[in-house]
Amino acid sequence: MDLKIVLLGPPGCGKGTQAERLVAEKGFVKISTGDLLREAVRLGTPLGVQAKGFMEAGKLVPDELVIGLMKEKLAAIKGPVLLDGFPRSLEQARQLEALTKVDLAIDIEVNEDNLVKRVTLRRSCKGCGAVYHLEFNPPKTAGKCDKCGGELYQRTDDTEATVRERLKTYKEKTLPLTKYYQDKKILRSVDGEGEISVVFDRIVKVLEKK
Ligand code: AP5
Ligand code: MG
Ligand code: ZN
């Protein structure tokens, strides 16, 4: 069966990091709305122009824009899918349900102080989107991606002030989704503290039970 998995959790909890490993080791295809939107901003597409201000302010990009993007991507994929950063509002969750069946929603839990530490020292690859951390997961060569040799940069929304704003947005708009998926009996919470590989093993255990 081709699983469709939603990765839930606050900014910096490790959605992108874990998705990267699940793609490399478990054969998933991932769709990351954050990565797609950043690419659109970089290219200056109409979507990017509309999304930029919301992203820099730590707010959600309007549902209709993100849902349009997701529809297009989902239709093009066959096989097991990981959704990283979508849905993020009840409206998005309802629209997703109309498109396809979600098998599991995995909520990665991390305390707030650690989230801020993770995000403010994150570095991301311009080439392939891989994620590093200056202290917890540094690249082998400073400033360079281990995987593709691309240049590492700091996301414009990775300042402490914007992270606090993103956390506020998360609590208002995205946290209600845990109850939404709990009511559907497909929510699994995973402790996101500890080493990246330890968290990965916890997620794999959840997947094996499915
Ligand atoms: P998005 O890019 O999705 O950002 P986010 O949800 O805020 O999540 P992050 O990417 O910041 O964190 P992550 O959970 O992926 O953590 P990571 O693995 O990198 O969205 C950005 C913006 O786009 C939004 O604010 C919004 O404006 C817009 N947007 C996106 N989707 C949208 C949607 N559906 N609707 C509307 N708007 C949307 O890890 C973080 C750091 O911690 C890294 O440095 C990593 O190396 C490190 N780390 C990871 N795991 C561990 C560990 N176990 N121990 C120590 N360090 C760790
Ligand atoms: Mg991410
Ligand atoms: Zn790279």
Side-chain angles (χ1 to χ4, degrees):
M1 185 180 58
D2 288 338
L3 290 179
K4 295 219 169 46
I5 314 267
V6 165
L7 290 180
L8 286 177
C13 71
K15 300 180 295 293
T17 301
Q18 297 300 334
E20 235 177 80
R21 277 201 65 173
L22 289 163
V23 167
E25 296 177 34
K26 299 286 167 189
F28 281 93
V29 174
K30 76 164 174 164
I31 308 178
S32 161
T33 41
D35 287 351
L36 292 169
L37 290 167
R38 277 184 288 281
E39 179 70 359
V41 170
R42 193 180 67 78
L43 296 173
T45 66
L47 172 67
V49 170
Q50 291 182 80
K52 190 169 189 269
F54 295 102
M55 295 173 79
E56 282 174 355
K59 308 273 186 218
L60 291 187
V61 173
D63 285 336
E64 61 275 18
L65 295 179
V66 183
I67 290 163
L69 180 67
M70 183 51 73
K71 269 189 188 161
E72 195 185 298
K73 292 290 162 186
L74 261 182
I77 290 181
K78 286 199 172 59
V81 178
L82 268 180
L83 301 181
D84 161 16
F86 183 93
R88 256 173 143 99
S89 65
L90 283 170
E91 178 59 21
Q92 290 180 19
R94 290 189 192 110
Q95 296 259 3
L96 175 63
E97 206 174 313
L99 285 178
T100 189
K101 178 174 165 283
V102 173
D103 298 290
L104 273 185
I106 299 179
D107 184 35
I108 308 178
E109 297 178 322
V110 174
N111 95 49
E112 202 160 314
D113 289 341
N114 285 340
L115 292 173
V116 175
K117 262 186 231 154
R118 286 186 185 187
V119 171
T120 49
L121 290 180
R122 168 170 46 199
R123 293 293 181 273
S124 309
C125 174
K126 271 190 181 163
C128 71
V131 182
Y132 297 87
H133 189 279
L134 294 183
E135 193 182 326
F136 306 136
N137 183 27
K140 292 195 179 84
T141 309
K144 270 204 169 168
C145 177
D146 295 350
K147 295 180 180 98
C148 78
E151 188 191 330
L152 302 186
Y153 77 106
Q154 183 167 27
R155 275 167 49 178
T156 50
D157 62 346
D158 277 353
T159 60
E160 177 155 358
T162 312
V163 173
R164 300 269 177 211
E165 202 51 49
R166 282 156 60 197
L167 276 166
K168 217 170 106 194
T169 304
Y170 167 79
K171 285 177 197 160
E172 267 170 34
K173 302 277 169 62
T174 310
L175 194 56
L177 292 185
T178 52
K179 170 142 188 352
Y180 177 88
Y181 285 118
Q182 198 167 29
D183 289 348
K184 298 190 179 299
K185 306 204 176 357
I186 57 170
L187 181 78
R188 303 288 180 275
S189 295
V190 168
D191 178 3
E193 309 271 359
E195 296 215 352
I196 291 170
S197 58
V198 172
V199 177
F200 180 71
D201 291 342
R202 291 182 189 131
I203 293 177
V204 170
K205 271 207 187 102
V206 166
L207 292 177
E208 281 167 359
K209 281 196 198 132
K210 183 69 200 171

